[in-house]
């Protein structure tokens, strides 16, 4: 019997997967095929994706499926004739997107039904928890994690075992295990995908963590903007309770752990662990001073451990496969795999999990297939607003905590925004500063006011109002903000500016001294012009111009009235002869 | 058992208690670490970033307010990196700070006089205090108030409403009041230092330098070539503008500080600079500019041509030259005005002003021009002397080149250019050239000069090229300027010279201040109140004599005029920690100027004003309100740069849960939260403080009482403490203008003696057993004892204590007040002291025989059908036949509860409580 799995992560649903599912469902009143949902397989550029299994074996992966394609799928199911779905099948090239990855954290994503605990169990789920409860002491669990070399995947890369051990060693009966699912970096969606696609992997990882540190309560702090993730997680917790994995005397042991979800109100700073704790306690999300660290005094002043989603997703695998298996992957300093959310000017965007030690080029060109257009690769922003920009000539850098940090960027939680020549680096820094300025909690002075001053300077540079000395002023601000800010948000906020200044200083200088934006993106510094030798006078640009700035007779060269032009770029987009140029 | 640890701070090993923070350990060992967001009352917060320190082995800067001191820790509190971080935090805060640290008038004054301060004091009737404020910057304010071209008024924002405040006239008013008083203000002179300073030149600059140096305990002698002191104030300004009698009085007051004055001594002739240097520790050169500048016009050397200041000096010395009937004065400045108006007074019939531009460009004071015009002076605008004509070697006329205005020059004024071939002749008897002045530096050849020929003096230290020789005023750098500029330099130089004499020269540094840009639009809602006009002699009454033209403002006028002040400067200036640290860390924020947060003011609360533009989001108010008071009337709202402190739903503070404890104001490091000062006019001033106790109830909380002049301005709990609304904010009643200082009988003001007599007579009309005496807990021991003595004298045994005065809680919910303060204050306890004296609580007293009561203290008993003979009260509107004034604990010395010592914070306007009772006893005998 054929089993059809429709990819219904948020990405799939927004691309139309739910409609396809319901069409398939309506046509299956007689249960002639199996139909279920699955999570996100990670190939965002190909959504909606429909996988057809022959019993348990994947026999066809259909991509960019439209509602009108459902009849071909039904045809195939009825006849077994592959020619019906030939045009829908993923290309061999695109298949490489997955085949070149190594999946640990994402191992079940897009494969199992996230709303069915039995599916998870049939893929080996909860066996690690059983193993822990039945045969390992908390210390042995921590040892296993230590052997694996797992480091915090939220961005800082702090050894997980060390935090667990500190929380375990802290005095007190009452301890808390918290999962940070407040994924706030623009362009990052790894955690969302894990919760939506494999929520039990998170629950099981957390239960193992709770067992290790001695916590009786586990809390998942997830942003309210992830409604699907919350719904699936809620359902998963309910199912786990029913099965006896969550609650009192788990699996008949004396280990008890309750679970709950706290929906955050969408403040970026609440991804900072102490601000997250404040928010959990019902306070305004503002970071606390460290020390004391959460492992000593965290949630309600009790020893608490906080890890992010991806970290927990790795834990289950490590217990099942052994710490050494995990440590066998990666480099000297960075073990295991890392998930990236690949976005930007890339051809194949989506979720990518690779072993540490692969290079950025591997991700961008091998897996991501390079740039979407003819334009050359310029650089990549890692780690979102806290991260930095790595230029094309350093893209052979290995994915490794230390090596990435050496460039001025950070590993970060996994946001990877690829930029081509048309991206203005000053504008890019400005974009991230605009974000951090708005997301600063307002508590400490360097972050609250310093980032604002940074943004103001970047803004005036982009407008062509930059002054001699502005670069030095930016540098001074950056250094002081990094040095004086209270939490990670402020301490890392200058990174986009510092790295672009380091690698693209000439762009800043062009803006300030020549009032020119080399990437042609800063609208105050550019003008659209018609190239007479290329213009054939088709009037397409004239028709599309929203402000009537283009004039000229048919079959004659057109002219753009710069006083009227609002620099929207429509003329350039619609010209099929490359006759519109940015100067 | 306390545990102790040892750590090193700045290389010094110190001991600290285990559990203390680095900040606490440092402070305990007298090492100052700045902070704007930390207070011992609340938990560490870490917002301001000022308290950062370095710990050996830790790459990060640590916030010392939150870092626990550990054994063996090595802390640095003052490295370059720390300094940079602190300075940066301050620069950031200032770049987002909206307000005016100082008012524009004060900033415009070259001497930095606190104009807003003394104007406000005059408005509040504190004239003596006003004189003190003025004299801290100007030693001769009666003179300067009369002659100063008042840059303060030019900067005054009130002119955007209608007209500027008459600041100069108010200064002269306050100073004249002082001169006319029985005792003049004389500042304290510090103990003799044994150092001596010679001042060359007895003008406004020299005298000011001498005055401020003398106050610091140095022995100062002023040498001047003229027969009397005063310099240009005496010899350059006509009598009708500055009567010399006024100047004489002010110089006499300067002499009182110990300054020695030596006249008729010319430098280089009678004594040399070297001699002065040899016999003194420092020399100040303030020789002024006494030489009239030449115009280089043909005929300038003729008989009948005089220099402007030479002419004025001759007249003042009583040697007026014969100027004849027709006189021309060349120039458009104040000296030209003085010369032409003096010429009028000498009897000249036709007096001309020759000026090459128009009236609009004249540098002279507008009022001077107006008055000259009224006195008949003829203005020849757009003319320039071409040649002074002569007959028999004597002036007979002038040929004027007619001018027109061309393009604006560097100063922005349109440049006059000659109209080709157009000339005009005037017949004249004499010509006065008032076009500028320069210095005669004979005898001072050893001093290095500028390219303009003036003495070169360092702008910050006033040093010349010679060690120990300083120079100020008209003879230096840019040359002649107005008197107040010389005074400003002199006063600043006195501090520098004092530091030089102490062995370490510290130059003057312009303070870092925040200013605001204000437009007429911002002031459009202000009510228009015309400026008070100073009465002047009519032109007919003044043009034939040298009587002073202007009268002083009357008392009513002065108060009204001063009350027009817009109160631009920040009320928190003298307490603001932000500006204090900013100056300490030299936090020049000009390169970080950017957008500022929106500034909103909330003034609806009865005691507290909020100004979000000055808020630095240190969070102290929010935290003390929730952590200490458990009220949570305010919180943080918004994110990032737009974060604000606000009551919930952005209500006003008055609509919030605020219980008026004042803790937020106490902790606010800036002017974002301030008490409403019990002045009619809010005015930022340096206050005097006294440590005393509140006697509002038997709890007698320790507090610091602040005052300005005779006004109690505010109270603060002692470090770490807390006061209730009554003690913290409710004391304003003692400043109540309706407060009585004499007694009242049936609504009529009478002397305390009359009322005491009447009281005694009334008591005598009853038998001893029919009279009760009541007291309450806010009386001092002395007053209680006197009341007991009165009861004994009357012979009554009914001596009642009414316990605590009822709490004033500013129309707030009593239950809420008690919830918050209940465990912090013993509300309702009776004073043990009055019980010791034999007083009985009212509820356990037998009142059956009592027919009349006499009651002391602020609590009036509520007895039905019993007559009140007399009560004490703050105001006259109490229902009783006889009311005695009530003296609060802030106005008296004494003891409380047998042990606590009360200190007077302000002078009482009436007899003390015990004195009043003693008077009654005397009349009873």
């Amino acid at each position: 019997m054929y089993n059809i799995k429709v990819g219904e992560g948020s990405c799939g649903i927004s691309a139309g997967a739910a409609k396809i599912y319901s069409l398939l469902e309506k046509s299956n009143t007689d249960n002639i095929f199996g139909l279920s949902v699955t999570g996100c397989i990670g190939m965002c550029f190909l959504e909606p994706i429909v996988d057809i299994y022959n019993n348990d074996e994947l026999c066809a992966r259909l991509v960019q499926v439209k509602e009108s394609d459902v009849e071909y799928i039904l045809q195939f199911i009825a006849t077994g004739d592959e020619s019906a779905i030939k045009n829908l099948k993923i290309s061999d090239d695109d298949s490489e997107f997955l085949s070149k990855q190594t999946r640990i954290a994402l191992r079940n994503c897009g494969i199992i039904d996230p709303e069915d605990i039995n599916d998870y169990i049939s893929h080996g789920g909860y066996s690690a928890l059983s193993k822990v409860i039945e045969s390992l002491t908390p210390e042995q669990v921590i040892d296993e994690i230590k052997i694996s070399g797992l480091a915090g995947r939220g961005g800082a890369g702090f050894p997980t075992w060390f935090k667990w051990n500190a929380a375990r060693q802290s005095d007190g009966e009452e301890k808390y295990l918290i999962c940070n699912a407040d994924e706030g970096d623009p362009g990052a969606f790894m955690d969302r995908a894990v919760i939506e696609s494999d929520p039990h992997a998170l629950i099981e990882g957390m239960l193992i963590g709770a067992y290790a540190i001695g916590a009786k309560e586990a809390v998942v702090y997830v942003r309210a903007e992830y409604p699907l993730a919350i719904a699936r997680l809620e359902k998963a917790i309910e199912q786990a309770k029913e099965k006896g994995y969550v609650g009192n005397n788990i699996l008949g042991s004396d280990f008890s752990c309750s679970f709950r979800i706290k929906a955050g109100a969408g403040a970026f700073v609440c991804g900072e662990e102490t601000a997250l704790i404040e928010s959990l306690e019902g306070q305004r999300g503002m970071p606390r001073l460290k020390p004391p660290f959460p492992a000593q005094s965290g949630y309600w002043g009790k020893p608490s451990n906080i890890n992010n989603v991806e970290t927990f997703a790795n834990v289950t695998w490590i217990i099942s496969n052994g710490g050494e298996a995990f440590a066998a992957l990666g480099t000297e300093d960075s073990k295991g795999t890392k998930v990236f959310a690949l976005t930007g000017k890339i051809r194949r965007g989506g979720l990518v999990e690779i072993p540490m030690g692969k290079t950025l080029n591997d991700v961008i060109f091998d897996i991501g297939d390079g740039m979407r257009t003819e334009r050359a690769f310029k650089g990549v922003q890692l780690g979102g607003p806290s991260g930095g920009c790595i230029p094309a000539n350093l893209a052979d850098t290995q994915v490794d905590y230390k090596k990435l940090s050496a460039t001025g960027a950070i590993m970060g939680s996994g946001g990877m925004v690829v930029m081509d020549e048309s991206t203005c680096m000053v504008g890019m820094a400005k974009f991230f500063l605009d974000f951090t300025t708005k997301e600063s909690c307002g508590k400490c002075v360097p972050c609250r006011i310093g980032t604002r001053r940074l943004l103001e300077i970047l803004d005036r540079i982009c407008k062509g109002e930059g002054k001699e000395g502005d670069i030095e002023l930016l540098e001074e601000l950056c250094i002081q903000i990094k040095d004086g800010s209270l939490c990670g948000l402020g301490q890392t906020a200058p990174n986009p500016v510092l790295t672009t200044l380091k690698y693209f200083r000439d762009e800043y200088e062009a803006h300030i001294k020549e009032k020119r934006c080399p990437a042609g993106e800063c609208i105050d510094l550019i003008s659209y012009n018609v190239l007479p030798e290329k213009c054939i006078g088709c009037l397409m640009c004239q028709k599309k111009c929203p402000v009537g700035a283009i004039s000229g007779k048919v079959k004659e060269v057109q002219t753009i009235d710069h006083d009227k032009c609002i620099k929207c770029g429509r003329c350039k987009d619609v010209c099929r002869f490359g006759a519109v140029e940015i100067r | 058992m306390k545990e102790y640890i040892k750590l090193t701070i700045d290389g010094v090993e110190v001991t600290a208690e285990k559990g203390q923070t680095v900040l606490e350990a440092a402070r305990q060992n007298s090492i100052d670490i700045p902070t704007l967001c930390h207070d011992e009352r609340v938990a560490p917060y870490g917002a301001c970033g000022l308290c950062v320190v370095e710990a050996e082995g830790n790459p990060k800067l640590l916030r010392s307010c939150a870092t626990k001191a550990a054994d063996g820790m090595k802390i640095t509190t003052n490295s370059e990196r720390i300094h940079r971080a602190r300075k940066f935090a301050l620069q950031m805060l200032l770049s987002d700070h909206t307000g005016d640290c100082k008012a524009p008038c004060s900033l415009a004054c070259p001497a930095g006089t606190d104009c807003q301060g003394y104007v406000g004091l005059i408005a509040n009737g504190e004239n003596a205090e006003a004189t003190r404020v003025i004299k801290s910057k100007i030693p001769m304010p009666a003179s300067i108030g009369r002659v100063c071209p008042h840059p303060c008024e030019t900067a005054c924002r009130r002119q955007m409403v209608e007209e500027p405040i008459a600041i100069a006239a108010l200064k002269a008013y306050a100073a004249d009041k002082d001169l006319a008083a029985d005792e003049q203000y004389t500042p304290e002179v510090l103990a003799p230092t044994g150092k001596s300073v010679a001042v060359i030149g007895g003008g406004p600059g020299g005298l000011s330098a001498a005055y401020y140096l003398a106050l610091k305990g140095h022995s100062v002698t002023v040498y001047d070539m003229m027969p009397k002191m005063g310099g240009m104030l005496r010899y350059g300004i006509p009598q009708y503008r500055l009567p010399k009698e006024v100047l004489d009085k002010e110089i006499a007051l300067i002499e009182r500080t110990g300054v020695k004055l030596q006249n008729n001594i010319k430098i280089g002739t009678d004594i040399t600079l070297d001699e002065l240097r040899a016999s003194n520790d420092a020399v100040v050169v303030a020789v002024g500019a006494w030489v009239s500048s030449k115009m280089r016009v043909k005929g300038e050397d003729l008989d009948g041509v005089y220099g402007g200041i030479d002419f004025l000096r001759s007249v003042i010395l009583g040697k007026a030259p014969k100027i004849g009937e027709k006189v021309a004065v060349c120039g458009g400045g104040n000296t030209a005005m003085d010369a032409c108006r003096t010429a009028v007074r000498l009897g000249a019939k036709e007096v001309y002003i020759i000026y090459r531009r128009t009236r609009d460009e004249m540098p002279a004071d507008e009022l001077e021009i107006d008055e000259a015009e009224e006195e008949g002076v003829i203005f020849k605008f757009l003319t320039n002397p071409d040649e002074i004509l002569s007959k028999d070697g004597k002036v007979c006329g002038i040929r004027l080149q007619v001018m027109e205005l061309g393009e604006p020059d560097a100063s922005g004024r349109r440049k006059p250019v000659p109209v080709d071939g157009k000339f005009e002749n005037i017949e004249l008897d004499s010509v006065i050239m008032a076009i500028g002045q320069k210095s005669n530096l004979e005898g001072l050849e050893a001093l290095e000069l500028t390219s303009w020929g003036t003495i070169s003096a360092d702008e910050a230290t006033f040093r010349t090229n010679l060690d120990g020789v300083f120079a100020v005023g008209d003879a230096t750098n840019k040359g002649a300027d107005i008197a107040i500029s010389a005074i400003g330099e002199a006063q600043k130089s006195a501090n520098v010279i004092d530091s030089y004499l102490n062995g370490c020269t510290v130059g003057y540094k312009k303070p870092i201040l925040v200013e605001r840009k204000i437009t007429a639009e911002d002031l459009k809602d202000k009510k228009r109140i015309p400026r008070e006009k100073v009465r002047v002699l009519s032109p007919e009454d003044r043009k034939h004599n040298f009587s002073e033209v202007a009268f002083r403002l009357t008392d009513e006028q002065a108060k009204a005029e001063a009350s027009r002040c817009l109160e631009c400067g920040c009320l928190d200036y003298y307490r603001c920690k932000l500006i204090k640290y900013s100056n300490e860390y030299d936090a020049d924020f000009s390169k970080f100027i950017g957008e500022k947060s929106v500034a909103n003011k909330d003034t609806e609360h009865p005691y507290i004003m909020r100004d979000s533009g000055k808020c630095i989001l240190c969070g102290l108010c929010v935290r003390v309100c929730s952590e200490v008071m458990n009220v949570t009337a305010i919180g943080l709202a918004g994110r990032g740069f737009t974060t604000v402190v606000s009551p919930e739903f952005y209500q006003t503070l008055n609509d919030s849960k605020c219980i008026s404890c004042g803790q937020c104001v106490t902790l606010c490091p800036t002017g974002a939260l301030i008490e409403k000062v019990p002045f009619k006019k809010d005015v930022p001033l340096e206050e005097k403080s006294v440590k005393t106790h509140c006697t509002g109830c038997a709890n007698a909380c320790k507090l610091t009482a602040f005052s300005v002049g005779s006004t109690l301005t505010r109270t603060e709990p002692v470090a770490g403490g807390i006061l209730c609304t009554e003690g913290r904010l409710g004391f304003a009643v003692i400043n109540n203008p309706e407060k009585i200082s004499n007694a009242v009988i049936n609504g009529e003001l009478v002397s305390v003696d009359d009322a005491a007599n009447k009281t005694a007579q009334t008591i005598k009309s009853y038998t001893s057993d029919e009279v009760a005496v009541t007291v309450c807990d806010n009386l001092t021991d002395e007053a209680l004892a006197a009341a007991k003595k009165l009861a004994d004298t009357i012979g009554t045994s009914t001596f009642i204590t009414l316990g605590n005065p009822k709490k004033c809680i500013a129309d707030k919910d009593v239950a809420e007040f008690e919830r918050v303060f209940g465990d912090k204050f013993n509300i309702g306890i009776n004073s043990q002291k009055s019980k010791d004296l034999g007083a009985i609580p009212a509820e356990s007293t037998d009142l059956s025989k009592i027919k009349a009561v006499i009651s002391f203290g602020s609590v009036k008993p509520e007895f039905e059908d019993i007559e009140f003979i007399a009560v004490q009260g703050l105001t006259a509107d109490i229902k009783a036949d006889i009311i005695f004034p009530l003296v609060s604990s802030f106005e008296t010395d004494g003891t409380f509860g047998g042990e606590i010592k009360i200190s007077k914070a302000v002078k009482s306007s009436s007899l003390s409580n015990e004195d009043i009772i003693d008077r009654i006893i005397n009349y009873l005998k």
Side-chain angles (χ1 to χ4, degrees), chain B residues 105 124 226 274 279 374 430 516 574 614 633 637 752 818 851:
Chain B
C105 49
N124 291 316
M226 298 302 286
D274 282 344
S279 54
E374 288 168 9
S430 56
R516 223 170 8 152
Y574 292 99
K614 290 173 183 166
V752 169
E818 294 202 350
K851 290 190 174 158

Side-chain angles (χ1 to χ4, degrees), chain B residues 751-811:
Chain B
S751 72
V752 169
D753 266 314
D754 288 352
N757 191 4
K758 177 92 195 282
T759 306
Q761 299 322 313
T762 315
I763 291 170
K764 283 176 186 168
S765 69
Y766 295 94
T767 66
S768 301
D769 289 351
E770 290 173 340
V771 180
V773 174
T774 74
V775 292
C776 69
D777 276 358
N778 67 345
L779 292 173
T780 60
D781 295 346
E782 289 77 5
L784 287 174
K788 170 65 178 162
K789 194 177 158 197
L790 175 65
D792 292 346
T793 310
I794 296 169
T796 179
S797 58
T798 316
F799 180 48
I800 305 170
T801 174
L802 300 165
N804 258 334
K806 193 164 173 270
K807 288 288 151 199
C808 149
I809 50 166
D811 311 321

